[in-house]
Amino acid sequence: MAYELISTETRGRVALVTLNRPKQMNALNPQLMQELGQALYAFDADDAIGAIVITGNDKAFAAGADIGAMKDWNFIDVYRADYITRDWEHIRRIRKPVIAAVAGYALGGGNELALMCDIVIAAENAKFGQPEINLGVLPGAGGTQRLPRAVGKAKAMDMCLTARMMDAAEAEKAGLVSRVVPLEKLLDEALAVAAKIAAYSLPAVMMVKESINAAYEMPLSEGVHFERRLFHAAFALADQKEGMAAFVDKRKPEFKNK
Ligand code: CAA
């Protein structure tokens, strides 16, 4: 598949998607988000892939939705086009783990894209923010919803109401990112994490992702019940037999992803 605003490659069982509008700080326009969705669906359907990394460049993961593209749109334009809903929510339907490797700016929709990924790994120069208030609007791709779940109400209000950016150290402390690494190590670290995940049993990995995401959608007792049912279902996997037998036999498991 030929893409214009992203590039894709594979490294073993890991797929790497690079956002590629460097002159616009990877501003996210509908075409880029459509291409990203297509690439993610293709890798999700590909049995040879076990995990996906999304990255940008050293200066920007993505500086948000494309302001130039949006500036003249009216209510009816965005309502009829189902703006954001149509092109931005593909990532939530991807069942394999998606890791965001963030260097530089992750602002507005860029931060929201990172928040839609399963793991965020940041370079030391990463900056996270929801500066939409500067533009006379509010976050529109989950910033007011996923951000407070990630960092709590106090910091989410602070970021969304003042446009203050968080640096990588604060983002790690607040729970927005899981690891911070030097810029030159960012991609290697993200690819290594993805490769580690991709070597495990794919259905078990998918169940972990599904179960953790369910924690955000249901009360605790229902969530634990959902987890228990998936845990019981895992005993139907050949990989459960292999994983546990390998432990008992003191050897490395050979997962067959079934
Ligand atoms: N949309 C369109 N173009 C953008 C952009 C964006 N979100 N962010 C940066 N650019 C463009 C700039 O217009 C500039 O283009 P030109 O060279 O043609 O002038 C180029 O990228 C480089 O940007 P700067 O010259 O501004 O670079 P800088 O280093 O001085 O500043 C920055 C970098 C802090 C990221 C600054 O560009 C900035 O504040 N960008 C806007 C961030 C923003 O407001 N994001 C939220 C967008 S709204 C949104 O995302 C809604 C939602 O929830 C879905």
Side-chain angles (χ1 to χ4, degrees), residues 124-217:
E124 282 164 350
N125 75 341
K127 286 197 182 304
F128 301 86
Q130 296 291 159
E132 290 88 346
I133 199 73
N134 287 330
L135 304 170
V137 291
L138 70 157
T144 67
Q145 302 304 305
R146 292 193 183 95
L147 189 61
R149 283 165 168 83
V151 304
K153 175 183 164 183
K155 280 191 189 288
M157 285 284 188
D158 187 354
M159 289 169 76
C160 293
L161 288 174
T162 71
R164 179 174 80 80
M165 292 183 209
M166 256 189 200
D167 65 17
E170 185 182 1
E172 187 185 23
K173 215 167 140 204
L176 177 54
V177 313
S178 68
R179 318 178 181 200
V180 178
V181 294
L183 175 58
E184 63 278 10
K185 299 227 168 83
L186 176 67
L187 201 52
D188 286 347
E189 179 82 3
L191 290 169
V193 170
K196 187 167 178 37
I197 293 169
Y200 291 121
S201 163
L202 180 60
V205 161
M206 288 164 68
M207 286 179 190
V208 169
K209 170 167 172 164
E210 192 177 356
S211 195
I212 291 181
N213 280 336
Y216 290 91
E217 307 289 345

Side-chain angles (χ1 to χ4, degrees), residues 3-216:
Y3 299 110
E4 233 181 289
L5 303 182
I6 63 168
S7 64
T8 64
E9 58 189 282
T10 56
R11 311 253 181 113
R13 286 184 52 74
V14 174
L16 174 63
V17 181
T18 306
L19 310 179
N20 192 19
R21 286 188 87 198
K23 287 197 184 115
Q24 293 82 16
M25 296 263 172
N26 287 337
L28 304 167
N29 65 9
Q31 182 186 340
L32 189 153
M33 295 312 286
Q34 283 159 14
E35 292 186 6
L36 177 62
Q38 279 174 32
L40 292 175
Y41 284 133
F43 287 131
D44 208 33
D46 184 344
D47 285 341
I49 296 300
I52 303 164
V53 174
I54 301 178
T55 196
N57 56 55
D58 288 359
K59 289 205 181 105
F61 177 69
D66 189 324
I67 301 166
M70 290 186 291
K71 73 180 179 27
D72 295 324
W73 290 346
N74 293 315
F75 165 76
I76 196 62
D77 301 319
V78 290
Y79 183 72
R80 285 284 301 275
D82 210 6
Y83 180 49
I84 302 293
T85 310
R86 177 173 294 179
D87 297 324
W88 289 57
E89 296 197 337
H90 304 299
I91 188 168
R92 298 305 304 158
R93 289 189 278 275
I94 302 305
R95 298 177 72 205
K96 292 172 185 169
V98 181
I99 296 167
V102 176
Y105 294 108
L107 300 180
N111 189 41
E112 290 165 310
L113 177 61
L115 283 163
M116 284 190 254
C117 294
D118 302 307
I119 297 176
V120 183
I121 299 179
E124 282 164 350
N125 75 341
K127 286 197 182 304
F128 301 86
Q130 296 291 159
E132 290 88 346
I133 199 73
N134 287 330
L135 304 170
V137 291
L138 70 157
T144 67
Q145 302 304 305
R146 292 193 183 95
L147 189 61
R149 283 165 168 83
V151 304
K153 175 183 164 183
K155 280 191 189 288
M157 285 284 188
D158 187 354
M159 289 169 76
C160 293
L161 288 174
T162 71
R164 179 174 80 80
M165 292 183 209
M166 256 189 200
D167 65 17
E170 185 182 1
E172 187 185 23
K173 215 167 140 204
L176 177 54
V177 313
S178 68
R179 318 178 181 200
V180 178
V181 294
L183 175 58
E184 63 278 10
K185 299 227 168 83
L186 176 67
L187 201 52
D188 286 347
E189 179 82 3
L191 290 169
V193 170
K196 187 167 178 37
I197 293 169
Y200 291 121
S201 163
L202 180 60
V205 161
M206 288 164 68
M207 286 179 190
V208 169
K209 170 167 172 164
E210 192 177 356
S211 195
I212 291 181
N213 280 336
Y216 290 91

